[in-house]
Amino acid sequence: MIRVMDNPAAADDLLTDTNTLRQQVDRIVASTPVIDMHTHVFPPEFGSICLFGIDDLLNYHYLIAETFRSTNISYAGFWKLSKTERADLIWKTLFVENTPLSEAGRGIVSVLDAFGLDARAPNLKEARAFFKSRKLPDHLDRVLEIARVSEIVMTNDPFHESEGHTWKNGGFRNARFHASLRLDTLLNDWPDAARTLAHQGLPVNAGFGGNTASELRRFLDNWISIMQPLYLAVSLPADFKFPNDDARDRLIREVVLPAAKEHGLALTLMVGARRGVNPALRAAGDGVGKADVTALERLCAENPEVRFLATFLSRENQHELCVAARKFSNLMPFGCWWFLNNPSIVSEITRERFELLGPSFIPQHSDARVLEQLVYKWAHARQQIADALSDSYEQLLKSGRAVARAEIERDVTRMFSGNFRGWVGLKTVGARIEAVS
Ligand code: FIX
Ligand code: ZN
């Protein structure tokens, strides 16, 4: 029985009819702006790493891996081709000679459809002409509008030379983009990072001699002041351990955590990638491994003043991540990462999170690398989130509590932007977006 008087919403506002309820949830989830809190998308100021258009879309590493399953070309032969030739081959293999049943294949179809392009075209002539005709700044606006993405977080590694030029020349101006300071080179490739820094004149060495730790702190402080990141981030291998007797442990304890504390920055951990399982596939050659969630628990327990954002790549780790988040209020689970970003798994993980965490998590990030991927990744994720949320509200209704439209809006806004804003201290003042310390 629904006890109207006990609810804050007026009786008329309560959605007691399941069809109406589902329609409202679909509409609200489809239209609520989202902050995309982890991407590899860059604004035009970043030059060649700002990827867009059909050739970049088809050269996505997800599709490259799939192409090798349906053609006999050698790895060497494939990499010898130009970007345009590779796109032609991928189109022919996955979209003309086969049906694009995979999530990444369907993604291309959704993008073409959103722009009124023929997803059954025999070649890329029409799509290339269309994307060539677009003016990048207008196109960027349009993509964000279709995807209902209000703000985007980039991945910015201070060791990547491709970005250095932009940062040295005053950075970027687009207020919808934010930086995140990526620590992969530093934490996962320490001997190389130490060599590079020493080469740049920093008195550091791989054996942590002298003032290595304090010099690295200065290095991070400097990049934090240049990039103004919303958080520090690292992807970690499936065998990541904490505590551990290795350089990464020292770097985390002596450099990264103190920097996070001093600057009030959250630390994002993306755990479970197994890099270079098949190096011949380059970026498409990474795999997945089940990780040890107790490492994250130890980090959260030892550093209650640090806010952690965490995602795991293995499906097997998802339940443990939810349980860990119930134990540590400084832990925010986010996203269905990479090989998990398939409708069936997004549905499963989102439902599990509702059941264990209510609305206190961030359901998805796109991980887009190419601008227009935002269109399909968000459209597809929103469908799964809406279905899972509708089912949760319907179960609540059956148990005796109806929801009102305003409550659905509150919940979706919290999950699509509020949880992240609160976690990283990002506020919106009218159209002006600013980070607060
Ligand atoms: O480490 C990461 O941020 C990963 O998301 C990428 O490296 C990966 O290649 C990817 O694109 C996954 O979606
Ligand atoms: Zn990523």
Side-chain angles (χ1 to χ4, degrees), residues 246-281:
D246 62 0
R248 188 194 285 121
D249 188 278
R250 266 191 93 164
L251 290 163
I252 291 175
R253 285 178 195 279
E254 296 175 30
V255 182
V256 176
L257 288 167
K261 286 174 197 169
E262 188 180 315
H263 294 275
L265 287 169
L267 179 56
T268 294
L269 305 176
M270 306 176 68
V271 193
R274 286 171 56 236
R275 303 287 180 190
V277 169
N278 182 355
L281 279 173

PDB file of all heavy atoms in Angstrom, residues 246-281:
ATOM      1  N   ASP A 246      57.923  -2.428  -3.516  1.00  0.00           N
ATOM      2  CA  ASP A 246      58.405  -2.048  -4.852  1.00  0.00           C
ATOM      3  C   ASP A 246      58.431  -0.521  -4.988  1.00  0.00           C
ATOM      4  O   ASP A 246      57.984   0.213  -4.090  1.00  0.00           O
ATOM      5  CB  ASP A 246      57.546  -2.693  -5.954  1.00  0.00           C
ATOM      6  CG  ASP A 246      56.075  -2.252  -5.907  1.00  0.00           C
ATOM      7  OD1 ASP A 246      55.709  -1.444  -5.025  1.00  0.00           O
ATOM      8  OD2 ASP A 246      55.305  -2.699  -6.763  1.00  0.00           O
ATOM      9  N   ALA A 247      58.951  -0.064  -6.111  1.00  0.00           N
ATOM     10  CA  ALA A 247      59.102   1.380  -6.319  1.00  0.00           C
ATOM     11  C   ALA A 247      57.744   2.073  -6.343  1.00  0.00           C
ATOM     12  O   ALA A 247      57.585   3.185  -5.820  1.00  0.00           O
ATOM     13  CB  ALA A 247      59.843   1.634  -7.629  1.00  0.00           C
ATOM     14  N   ARG A 248      56.746   1.401  -6.932  1.00  0.00           N
ATOM     15  CA  ARG A 248      55.425   2.025  -7.027  1.00  0.00           C
ATOM     16  C   ARG A 248      54.862   2.338  -5.631  1.00  0.00           C
ATOM     17  O   ARG A 248      54.280   3.396  -5.410  1.00  0.00           O
ATOM     18  CB  ARG A 248      54.471   1.120  -7.793  1.00  0.00           C
ATOM     19  CG  ARG A 248      53.146   1.809  -8.082  1.00  0.00           C
ATOM     20  CD  ARG A 248      52.079   0.855  -8.536  1.00  0.00           C
ATOM     21  NE  ARG A 248      52.244   0.411  -9.902  1.00  0.00           N
ATOM     22  CZ  ARG A 248      52.382  -0.862 -10.254  1.00  0.00           C
ATOM     23  NH1 ARG A 248      52.412  -1.801  -9.336  1.00  0.00           N
ATOM     24  NH2 ARG A 248      52.497  -1.201 -11.511  1.00  0.00           N
ATOM     25  N   ASP A 249      55.066   1.409  -4.708  1.00  0.00           N
ATOM     26  CA  ASP A 249      54.578   1.616  -3.342  1.00  0.00           C
ATOM     27  C   ASP A 249      55.214   2.865  -2.740  1.00  0.00           C
ATOM     28  O   ASP A 249      54.546   3.709  -2.128  1.00  0.00           O
ATOM     29  CB  ASP A 249      54.910   0.372  -2.499  1.00  0.00           C
ATOM     30  CG  ASP A 249      54.258   0.439  -1.126  1.00  0.00           C
ATOM     31  OD1 ASP A 249      54.835   1.112  -0.241  1.00  0.00           O
ATOM     32  OD2 ASP A 249      53.176  -0.138  -0.938  1.00  0.00           O
ATOM     33  N   ARG A 250      56.524   3.003  -2.941  1.00  0.00           N
ATOM     34  CA  ARG A 250      57.224   4.190  -2.409  1.00  0.00           C
ATOM     35  C   ARG A 250      56.724   5.465  -3.053  1.00  0.00           C
ATOM     36  O   ARG A 250      56.506   6.483  -2.382  1.00  0.00           O
ATOM     37  CB  ARG A 250      58.735   4.067  -2.689  1.00  0.00           C
ATOM     38  CG  ARG A 250      59.474   3.457  -1.533  1.00  0.00           C
ATOM     39  CD  ARG A 250      60.953   3.599  -1.707  1.00  0.00           C
ATOM     40  NE  ARG A 250      61.452   4.803  -1.058  1.00  0.00           N
ATOM     41  CZ  ARG A 250      62.734   5.004  -0.807  1.00  0.00           C
ATOM     42  NH1 ARG A 250      63.628   4.084  -1.140  1.00  0.00           N
ATOM     43  NH2 ARG A 250      63.144   6.124  -0.226  1.00  0.00           N
ATOM     44  N   LEU A 251      56.547   5.381  -4.364  1.00  0.00           N
ATOM     45  CA  LEU A 251      56.077   6.581  -5.074  1.00  0.00           C
ATOM     46  C   LEU A 251      54.674   6.977  -4.604  1.00  0.00           C
ATOM     47  O   LEU A 251      54.380   8.159  -4.421  1.00  0.00           O
ATOM     48  CB  LEU A 251      56.072   6.323  -6.588  1.00  0.00           C
ATOM     49  CG  LEU A 251      57.460   6.214  -7.228  1.00  0.00           C
ATOM     50  CD1 LEU A 251      57.379   5.550  -8.595  1.00  0.00           C
ATOM     51  CD2 LEU A 251      58.089   7.608  -7.357  1.00  0.00           C
ATOM     52  N   ILE A 252      53.818   5.977  -4.403  1.00  0.00           N
ATOM     53  CA  ILE A 252      52.457   6.286  -3.937  1.00  0.00           C
ATOM     54  C   ILE A 252      52.515   6.923  -2.546  1.00  0.00           C
ATOM     55  O   ILE A 252      51.878   7.942  -2.285  1.00  0.00           O
ATOM     56  CB  ILE A 252      51.574   5.015  -3.934  1.00  0.00           C
ATOM     57  CG1 ILE A 252      51.294   4.564  -5.371  1.00  0.00           C
ATOM     58  CG2 ILE A 252      50.246   5.261  -3.202  1.00  0.00           C
ATOM     59  CD1 ILE A 252      50.533   3.249  -5.506  1.00  0.00           C
ATOM     60  N   ARG A 253      53.310   6.303  -1.655  1.00  0.00           N
ATOM     61  CA  ARG A 253      53.346   6.791  -0.268  1.00  0.00           C
ATOM     62  C   ARG A 253      54.077   8.122  -0.114  1.00  0.00           C
ATOM     63  O   ARG A 253      53.659   8.992   0.646  1.00  0.00           O
ATOM     64  CB  ARG A 253      54.078   5.779   0.625  1.00  0.00           C
ATOM     65  CG  ARG A 253      53.279   4.568   0.930  1.00  0.00           C
ATOM     66  CD  ARG A 253      54.113   3.611   1.787  1.00  0.00           C
ATOM     67  NE  ARG A 253      53.490   2.300   1.797  1.00  0.00           N
ATOM     68  CZ  ARG A 253      52.470   1.964   2.568  1.00  0.00           C
ATOM     69  NH1 ARG A 253      51.974   2.833   3.402  1.00  0.00           N
ATOM     70  NH2 ARG A 253      51.938   0.763   2.497  1.00  0.00           N
ATOM     71  N   GLU A 254      55.206   8.258  -0.843  1.00  0.00           N
ATOM     72  CA  GLU A 254      56.067   9.421  -0.575  1.00  0.00           C
ATOM     73  C   GLU A 254      55.803  10.597  -1.511  1.00  0.00           C
ATOM     74  O   GLU A 254      56.189  11.717  -1.215  1.00  0.00           O
ATOM     75  CB  GLU A 254      57.548   9.002  -0.670  1.00  0.00           C
ATOM     76  CG  GLU A 254      57.931   7.984   0.402  1.00  0.00           C
ATOM     77  CD  GLU A 254      59.361   7.481   0.245  1.00  0.00           C
ATOM     78  OE1 GLU A 254      60.221   8.230  -0.264  1.00  0.00           O
ATOM     79  OE2 GLU A 254      59.613   6.321   0.622  1.00  0.00           O
ATOM     80  N   VAL A 255      55.156  10.317  -2.649  1.00  0.00           N
ATOM     81  CA  VAL A 255      54.969  11.409  -3.619  1.00  0.00           C
ATOM     82  C   VAL A 255      53.483  11.663  -3.905  1.00  0.00           C
ATOM     83  O   VAL A 255      52.991  12.781  -3.737  1.00  0.00           O
ATOM     84  CB  VAL A 255      55.722  11.085  -4.943  1.00  0.00           C
ATOM     85  CG1 VAL A 255      55.572  12.226  -5.934  1.00  0.00           C
ATOM     86  CG2 VAL A 255      57.195  10.787  -4.678  1.00  0.00           C
ATOM     87  N   VAL A 256      52.786  10.604  -4.314  1.00  0.00           N
ATOM     88  CA  VAL A 256      51.422  10.812  -4.825  1.00  0.00           C
ATOM     89  C   VAL A 256      50.433  11.157  -3.700  1.00  0.00           C
ATOM     90  O   VAL A 256      49.701  12.148  -3.795  1.00  0.00           O
ATOM     91  CB  VAL A 256      50.950   9.556  -5.609  1.00  0.00           C
ATOM     92  CG1 VAL A 256      49.502   9.712  -6.052  1.00  0.00           C
ATOM     93  CG2 VAL A 256      51.855   9.332  -6.818  1.00  0.00           C
ATOM     94  N   LEU A 257      50.403  10.343  -2.649  1.00  0.00           N
ATOM     95  CA  LEU A 257      49.435  10.624  -1.573  1.00  0.00           C
ATOM     96  C   LEU A 257      49.706  11.974  -0.902  1.00  0.00           C
ATOM     97  O   LEU A 257      48.756  12.742  -0.674  1.00  0.00           O
ATOM     98  CB  LEU A 257      49.414   9.480  -0.561  1.00  0.00           C
ATOM     99  CG  LEU A 257      48.740   8.195  -1.090  1.00  0.00           C
ATOM    100  CD1 LEU A 257      49.021   7.006  -0.172  1.00  0.00           C
ATOM    101  CD2 LEU A 257      47.232   8.398  -1.257  1.00  0.00           C
ATOM    102  N   PRO A 258      50.965  12.304  -0.599  1.00  0.00           N
ATOM    103  CA  PRO A 258      51.186  13.649  -0.030  1.00  0.00           C
ATOM    104  C   PRO A 258      50.728  14.766  -0.969  1.00  0.00           C
ATOM    105  O   PRO A 258      50.153  15.760  -0.517  1.00  0.00           O
ATOM    106  CB  PRO A 258      52.709  13.693   0.184  1.00  0.00           C
ATOM    107  CG  PRO A 258      53.122  12.259   0.305  1.00  0.00           C
ATOM    108  CD  PRO A 258      52.197  11.494  -0.591  1.00  0.00           C
ATOM    109  N   ALA A 259      50.937  14.585  -2.280  1.00  0.00           N
ATOM    110  CA  ALA A 259      50.488  15.632  -3.224  1.00  0.00           C
ATOM    111  C   ALA A 259      48.964  15.715  -3.217  1.00  0.00           C
ATOM    112  O   ALA A 259      48.379  16.806  -3.210  1.00  0.00           O
ATOM    113  CB  ALA A 259      51.000  15.330  -4.632  1.00  0.00           C
ATOM    114  N   ALA A 260      48.299  14.537  -3.217  1.00  0.00           N
ATOM    115  CA  ALA A 260      46.830  14.534  -3.202  1.00  0.00           C
ATOM    116  C   ALA A 260      46.327  15.254  -1.950  1.00  0.00           C
ATOM    117  O   ALA A 260      45.398  16.068  -2.010  1.00  0.00           O
ATOM    118  CB  ALA A 260      46.303  13.101  -3.238  1.00  0.00           C
ATOM    119  N   LYS A 261      46.962  14.958  -0.809  1.00  0.00           N
ATOM    120  CA  LYS A 261      46.515  15.585   0.448  1.00  0.00           C
ATOM    121  C   LYS A 261      46.740  17.088   0.417  1.00  0.00           C
ATOM    122  O   LYS A 261      45.854  17.875   0.747  1.00  0.00           O
ATOM    123  CB  LYS A 261      47.265  14.960   1.634  1.00  0.00           C
ATOM    124  CG  LYS A 261      46.784  13.561   1.956  1.00  0.00           C
ATOM    125  CD  LYS A 261      47.624  12.896   3.031  1.00  0.00           C
ATOM    126  CE  LYS A 261      47.368  11.387   3.008  1.00  0.00           C
ATOM    127  NZ  LYS A 261      48.283  10.599   3.807  1.00  0.00           N
ATOM    128  N   GLU A 262      47.944  17.481   0.027  1.00  0.00           N
ATOM    129  CA  GLU A 262      48.244  18.921   0.079  1.00  0.00           C
ATOM    130  C   GLU A 262      47.353  19.727  -0.860  1.00  0.00           C
ATOM    131  O   GLU A 262      46.911  20.827  -0.522  1.00  0.00           O
ATOM    132  CB  GLU A 262      49.710  19.174  -0.266  1.00  0.00           C
ATOM    133  CG  GLU A 262      50.062  20.632  -0.027  1.00  0.00           C
ATOM    134  CD  GLU A 262      51.504  20.937  -0.344  1.00  0.00           C
ATOM    135  OE1 GLU A 262      52.384  20.135   0.063  1.00  0.00           O
ATOM    136  OE2 GLU A 262      51.737  21.966  -1.019  1.00  0.00           O
ATOM    137  N   HIS A 263      47.079  19.174  -2.038  1.00  0.00           N
ATOM    138  CA  HIS A 263      46.291  19.936  -3.019  1.00  0.00           C
ATOM    139  C   HIS A 263      44.793  19.629  -2.925  1.00  0.00           C
ATOM    140  O   HIS A 263      44.007  20.162  -3.716  1.00  0.00           O
ATOM    141  CB  HIS A 263      46.786  19.641  -4.433  1.00  0.00           C
ATOM    142  CG  HIS A 263      48.183  20.144  -4.681  1.00  0.00           C
ATOM    143  ND1 HIS A 263      48.454  21.438  -5.069  1.00  0.00           N
ATOM    144  CD2 HIS A 263      49.374  19.530  -4.555  1.00  0.00           C
ATOM    145  CE1 HIS A 263      49.771  21.600  -5.191  1.00  0.00           C
ATOM    146  NE2 HIS A 263      50.355  20.447  -4.887  1.00  0.00           N
ATOM    147  N   GLY A 264      44.421  18.743  -2.001  1.00  0.00           N
ATOM    148  CA  GLY A 264      42.998  18.381  -1.877  1.00  0.00           C
ATOM    149  C   GLY A 264      42.468  17.718  -3.134  1.00  0.00           C
ATOM    150  O   GLY A 264      41.299  17.917  -3.496  1.00  0.00           O
ATOM    151  N   LEU A 265      43.321  16.911  -3.796  1.00  0.00           N
ATOM    152  CA  LEU A 265      42.895  16.267  -5.045  1.00  0.00           C
ATOM    153  C   LEU A 265      42.514  14.814  -4.801  1.00  0.00           C
ATOM    154  O   LEU A 265      43.202  14.090  -4.074  1.00  0.00           O
ATOM    155  CB  LEU A 265      44.034  16.303  -6.074  1.00  0.00           C
ATOM    156  CG  LEU A 265      44.332  17.661  -6.697  1.00  0.00           C
ATOM    157  CD1 LEU A 265      45.645  17.611  -7.473  1.00  0.00           C
ATOM    158  CD2 LEU A 265      43.189  18.078  -7.629  1.00  0.00           C
ATOM    159  N   ALA A 266      41.435  14.380  -5.425  1.00  0.00           N
ATOM    160  CA  ALA A 266      41.050  12.970  -5.354  1.00  0.00           C
ATOM    161  C   ALA A 266      42.056  12.141  -6.158  1.00  0.00           C
ATOM    162  O   ALA A 266      42.732  12.665  -7.055  1.00  0.00           O
ATOM    163  CB  ALA A 266      39.650  12.793  -5.934  1.00  0.00           C
ATOM    164  N   LEU A 267      42.151  10.849  -5.815  1.00  0.00           N
ATOM    165  CA  LEU A 267      43.036   9.943  -6.545  1.00  0.00           C
ATOM    166  C   LEU A 267      42.193   8.869  -7.222  1.00  0.00           C
ATOM    167  O   LEU A 267      41.436   8.157  -6.555  1.00  0.00           O
ATOM    168  CB  LEU A 267      44.048   9.314  -5.572  1.00  0.00           C
ATOM    169  CG  LEU A 267      45.046   8.324  -6.155  1.00  0.00           C
ATOM    170  CD1 LEU A 267      45.860   8.929  -7.296  1.00  0.00           C
ATOM    171  CD2 LEU A 267      46.008   7.825  -5.061  1.00  0.00           C
ATOM    172  N   THR A 268      42.306   8.797  -8.554  1.00  0.00           N
ATOM    173  CA  THR A 268      41.532   7.830  -9.327  1.00  0.00           C
ATOM    174  C   THR A 268      42.382   6.601  -9.629  1.00  0.00           C
ATOM    175  O   THR A 268      43.489   6.732 -10.163  1.00  0.00           O
ATOM    176  CB  THR A 268      41.065   8.478 -10.651  1.00  0.00           C
ATOM    177  OG1 THR A 268      40.153   9.525 -10.335  1.00  0.00           O
ATOM    178  CG2 THR A 268      40.374   7.487 -11.552  1.00  0.00           C
ATOM    179  N   LEU A 269      41.847   5.426  -9.307  1.00  0.00           N
ATOM    180  CA  LEU A 269      42.569   4.178  -9.567  1.00  0.00           C
ATOM    181  C   LEU A 269      41.750   3.342 -10.549  1.00  0.00           C
ATOM    182  O   LEU A 269      40.565   3.080 -10.311  1.00  0.00           O
ATOM    183  CB  LEU A 269      42.773   3.399  -8.271  1.00  0.00           C
ATOM    184  CG  LEU A 269      43.472   4.163  -7.137  1.00  0.00           C
ATOM    185  CD1 LEU A 269      43.529   3.316  -5.878  1.00  0.00           C
ATOM    186  CD2 LEU A 269      44.881   4.578  -7.544  1.00  0.00           C
ATOM    187  N   MET A 270      42.389   2.938 -11.632  1.00  0.00           N
ATOM    188  CA  MET A 270      41.728   2.093 -12.634  1.00  0.00           C
ATOM    189  C   MET A 270      42.527   0.799 -12.663  1.00  0.00           C
ATOM    190  O   MET A 270      43.662   0.773 -13.157  1.00  0.00           O
ATOM    191  CB  MET A 270      41.739   2.805 -13.983  1.00  0.00           C
ATOM    192  CG  MET A 270      41.147   4.210 -13.883  1.00  0.00           C
ATOM    193  SD  MET A 270      41.241   5.149 -15.399  1.00  0.00           S
ATOM    194  CE  MET A 270      40.110   4.239 -16.422  1.00  0.00           C
ATOM    195  N   VAL A 271      41.944  -0.256 -12.136  1.00  0.00           N
ATOM    196  CA  VAL A 271      42.741  -1.440 -11.823  1.00  0.00           C
ATOM    197  C   VAL A 271      42.336  -2.645 -12.675  1.00  0.00           C
ATOM    198  O   VAL A 271      41.134  -2.926 -12.843  1.00  0.00           O
ATOM    199  CB  VAL A 271      42.576  -1.815 -10.327  1.00  0.00           C
ATOM    200  CG1 VAL A 271      43.636  -2.823  -9.915  1.00  0.00           C
ATOM    201  CG2 VAL A 271      42.629  -0.585  -9.429  1.00  0.00           C
ATOM    202  N   GLY A 272      43.329  -3.361 -13.160  1.00  0.00           N
ATOM    203  CA  GLY A 272      43.035  -4.643 -13.811  1.00  0.00           C
ATOM    204  C   GLY A 272      43.463  -4.760 -15.260  1.00  0.00           C
ATOM    205  O   GLY A 272      43.193  -5.781 -15.898  1.00  0.00           O
ATOM    206  N   ALA A 273      44.147  -3.719 -15.801  1.00  0.00           N
ATOM    207  CA  ALA A 273      44.610  -3.828 -17.188  1.00  0.00           C
ATOM    208  C   ALA A 273      45.872  -4.689 -17.221  1.00  0.00           C
ATOM    209  O   ALA A 273      46.708  -4.603 -16.334  1.00  0.00           O
ATOM    210  CB  ALA A 273      44.902  -2.446 -17.742  1.00  0.00           C
ATOM    211  N   ARG A 274      45.944  -5.550 -18.215  1.00  0.00           N
ATOM    212  CA  ARG A 274      47.201  -6.279 -18.452  1.00  0.00           C
ATOM    213  C   ARG A 274      47.738  -5.781 -19.779  1.00  0.00           C
ATOM    214  O   ARG A 274      47.252  -6.134 -20.841  1.00  0.00           O
ATOM    215  CB  ARG A 274      46.946  -7.781 -18.469  1.00  0.00           C
ATOM    216  CG  ARG A 274      46.701  -8.311 -17.040  1.00  0.00           C
ATOM    217  CD  ARG A 274      46.225  -9.733 -17.030  1.00  0.00           C
ATOM    218  NE  ARG A 274      47.153 -10.617 -17.722  1.00  0.00           N
ATOM    219  CZ  ARG A 274      46.801 -11.410 -18.737  1.00  0.00           C
ATOM    220  NH1 ARG A 274      45.572 -11.431 -19.166  1.00  0.00           N
ATOM    221  NH2 ARG A 274      47.700 -12.174 -19.304  1.00  0.00           N
ATOM    222  N   ARG A 275      48.706  -4.870 -19.658  1.00  0.00           N
ATOM    223  CA  ARG A 275      49.210  -4.184 -20.858  1.00  0.00           C
ATOM    224  C   ARG A 275      50.037  -5.126 -21.727  1.00  0.00           C
ATOM    225  O   ARG A 275      50.778  -5.968 -21.223  1.00  0.00           O
ATOM    226  CB  ARG A 275      50.066  -2.986 -20.454  1.00  0.00           C
ATOM    227  CG  ARG A 275      49.357  -1.954 -19.572  1.00  0.00           C
ATOM    228  CD  ARG A 275      48.350  -1.132 -20.341  1.00  0.00           C
ATOM    229  NE  ARG A 275      47.689  -0.146 -19.481  1.00  0.00           N
ATOM    230  CZ  ARG A 275      46.640   0.566 -19.852  1.00  0.00           C
ATOM    231  NH1 ARG A 275      46.119   0.429 -21.055  1.00  0.00           N
ATOM    232  NH2 ARG A 275      46.095   1.426 -19.031  1.00  0.00           N
ATOM    233  N   GLY A 276      49.881  -4.938 -23.041  1.00  0.00           N
ATOM    234  CA  GLY A 276      50.744  -5.635 -23.999  1.00  0.00           C
ATOM    235  C   GLY A 276      50.632  -7.152 -23.986  1.00  0.00           C
ATOM    236  O   GLY A 276      51.619  -7.853 -24.201  1.00  0.00           O
ATOM    237  N   VAL A 277      49.437  -7.679 -23.777  1.00  0.00           N
ATOM    238  CA  VAL A 277      49.248  -9.137 -23.855  1.00  0.00           C
ATOM    239  C   VAL A 277      49.628  -9.625 -25.259  1.00  0.00           C
ATOM    240  O   VAL A 277      50.248 -10.663 -25.424  1.00  0.00           O
ATOM    241  CB  VAL A 277      47.777  -9.498 -23.523  1.00  0.00           C
ATOM    242  CG1 VAL A 277      47.461 -10.947 -23.843  1.00  0.00           C
ATOM    243  CG2 VAL A 277      47.493  -9.197 -22.051  1.00  0.00           C
ATOM    244  N   ASN A 278      49.237  -8.835 -26.254  1.00  0.00           N
ATOM    245  CA  ASN A 278      49.713  -9.091 -27.625  1.00  0.00           C
ATOM    246  C   ASN A 278      50.274  -7.785 -28.181  1.00  0.00           C
ATOM    247  O   ASN A 278      49.556  -6.994 -28.786  1.00  0.00           O
ATOM    248  CB  ASN A 278      48.577  -9.604 -28.514  1.00  0.00           C
ATOM    249  CG  ASN A 278      49.099  -9.899 -29.914  1.00  0.00           C
ATOM    250  OD1 ASN A 278      50.278  -9.637 -30.218  1.00  0.00           O
ATOM    251  ND2 ASN A 278      48.253 -10.434 -30.766  1.00  0.00           N
ATOM    252  N   PRO A 279      51.586  -7.557 -27.997  1.00  0.00           N
ATOM    253  CA  PRO A 279      52.173  -6.272 -28.387  1.00  0.00           C
ATOM    254  C   PRO A 279      52.021  -5.971 -29.877  1.00  0.00           C
ATOM    255  O   PRO A 279      51.976  -4.801 -30.266  1.00  0.00           O
ATOM    256  CB  PRO A 279      53.659  -6.425 -28.024  1.00  0.00           C
ATOM    257  CG  PRO A 279      53.731  -7.621 -27.119  1.00  0.00           C
ATOM    258  CD  PRO A 279      52.551  -8.487 -27.428  1.00  0.00           C
ATOM    259  N   ALA A 280      51.887  -7.010 -30.706  1.00  0.00           N
ATOM    260  CA  ALA A 280      51.756  -6.770 -32.149  1.00  0.00           C
ATOM    261  C   ALA A 280      50.485  -5.980 -32.459  1.00  0.00           C
ATOM    262  O   ALA A 280      50.377  -5.338 -33.502  1.00  0.00           O
ATOM    263  CB  ALA A 280      51.737  -8.093 -32.899  1.00  0.00           C
ATOM    264  N   LEU A 281      49.529  -6.002 -31.557  1.00  0.00           N
ATOM    265  CA  LEU A 281      48.281  -5.252 -31.764  1.00  0.00           C
ATOM    266  C   LEU A 281      48.382  -3.807 -31.274  1.00  0.00           C
ATOM    267  O   LEU A 281      47.412  -3.051 -31.343  1.00  0.00           O
ATOM    268  CB  LEU A 281      47.130  -5.947 -31.029  1.00  0.00           C
ATOM    269  CG  LEU A 281      46.485  -7.146 -31.720  1.00  0.00           C
ATOM    270  CD1 LEU A 281      45.478  -7.819 -30.793  1.00  0.00           C
ATOM    271  CD2 LEU A 281      45.769  -6.699 -32.991  1.00  0.00           C
TER     272      LEU A 281
END
